Amino acid sequence: MKLILVGAPGAGKGTQAEKLIEKLGIPSISTGNILREHLKKGTELGEKARGFMESGALVPDDLIVDMLKARLSEPDCKEGYILDGYPRTVRQAEALKEMGAGIDRVVSIETDDESIIRRISGRRLCKNCGASYNLLFNKPEKDGVCSKCGSPLIQRDDDREETVRARLEVFHRQTEPVKAYYEKEGILLRVDGTGDIPDVTKKIFDALGLSE
């Protein structure tokens, strides 16, 4: 099964991707990881991308598509894959179709913004041991103090409400047209992302016709 998983930051996309990987035995493909691998290996595509990045420019879509095409031709993708973080634009979705990727389903985990903001802005991290907490569902025993080592807890800049709102705004601006594109293609599945992890997993499996 060839899938695209769409979800706002904090919607649980990564967790649900893991459940699907475990169930279907297919890899998760991240264009960010592919790019880093090409840069690390110093491939021809990687060196081209490096030139754009060092000049402060975005890596062009056609270069990312070439890297993606090469990755999807590898043996572990023969039975399918989950695309993570791609496509982000309608043009990228069209490029994916042009390369003959043959996507079966696009699963959109639908969660309202205010729930996501509460969830992400509730995250806290221990400065010392790295233990993570959440003020909604995994509180420390004592406010602001790590239950494991007693060090102060901090809120990362990425988890502050204003940052989360800005990220959500970008997500909606980029992704809503992509969802509309796949809705027209007849392969978009909208899944309610509220509830605990097993509940959402069941909804996704049911939508895809998979037994748990």
Side-chain angles (χ1 to χ4, degrees):
M1 192 177 286
K2 298 172 182 176
L3 302 173
I4 294 171
L5 201 55
V6 178
K13 183 164 59 77
T15 301
Q16 296 304 330
E18 288 174 10
K19 302 292 183 186
L20 285 164
I21 290 164
E22 187 180 320
K23 175 68 178 176
L24 297 170
I26 57 178
S28 176
I29 309 296
S30 158
T31 50
N33 288 344
I34 294 171
L35 179 56
R36 282 187 286 274
E37 192 67 18
H38 276 272
L39 290 168
K40 183 180 172 185
K41 290 180 177 176
T43 65
E44 183 181 345
L45 290 172
E47 290 309 307
K48 283 182 182 177
R50 193 188 306 277
F52 286 101
M53 293 167 74
E54 288 177 351
S55 67
L58 290 172
V59 179
D61 274 357
D62 58 351
L63 203 52
I64 296 292
V65 166
D66 286 344
M67 291 181 183
L68 188 59
K69 193 181 294 186
R71 177 67 183 90
L72 297 185
S73 68
E74 292 180 17
D76 66 332
C77 293
K78 189 176 179 183
E79 300 301 321
Y81 44 80
I82 299 170
L83 284 182
D84 177 11
Y86 191 94
R88 293 184 186 275
T89 65
V90 171
R91 178 67 199 99
Q92 290 176 351
E94 290 169 345
L96 200 57
K97 188 176 183 180
E98 287 161 11
M99 76 158 77
I103 299 300
D104 296 307
R105 292 286 184 268
V106 178
V107 179
S108 175
I109 301 174
E110 307 276 317
T111 314
D112 70 278
D113 285 1
E114 293 308 314
S115 295
I116 286 175
I117 290 163
R118 284 195 299 274
R119 190 184 303 173
I120 297 181
S121 62
R123 291 173 180 169
R124 296 294 184 271
L125 190 70
C126 177
K127 291 177 68 174
N128 181 47
C129 73
S132 59
Y133 300 88
N134 195 293
L135 303 185
L136 287 180
F137 50 80
N138 181 30
K139 295 180 180 181
E141 292 169 8
K142 185 178 177 183
D143 285 351
V145 178
C146 179
S147 304
K148 294 183 178 178
C149 71
S151 297
L153 299 180
I154 60 167
Q155 183 182 43
R156 298 187 314 155
D157 288 343
D158 278 358
D159 295 337
R160 297 187 186 280
E161 182 176 335
E162 59 273 22
T163 307
V164 179
R165 286 191 185 278
R167 289 168 65 197
L168 286 169
E169 186 181 330
V170 171
F171 169 78
H172 289 305
R173 187 169 65 246
Q174 288 184 336
T175 310
E176 293 306 324
V178 175
K179 284 158 64 173
Y181 172 86
Y182 283 118
E183 198 149 40
K184 283 183 183 175
E185 295 275 304
I187 58 173
L188 181 74
L189 299 172
R190 296 179 185 269
V191 174
D192 179 6
T194 56
D196 59 21
I197 290 169
D199 285 342
V200 178
T201 301
K202 185 178 187 310
K203 291 173 192 174
I204 292 173
F205 281 20
D206 287 348
L208 291 170
L210 301 172
S211 57
E212 286 192 82

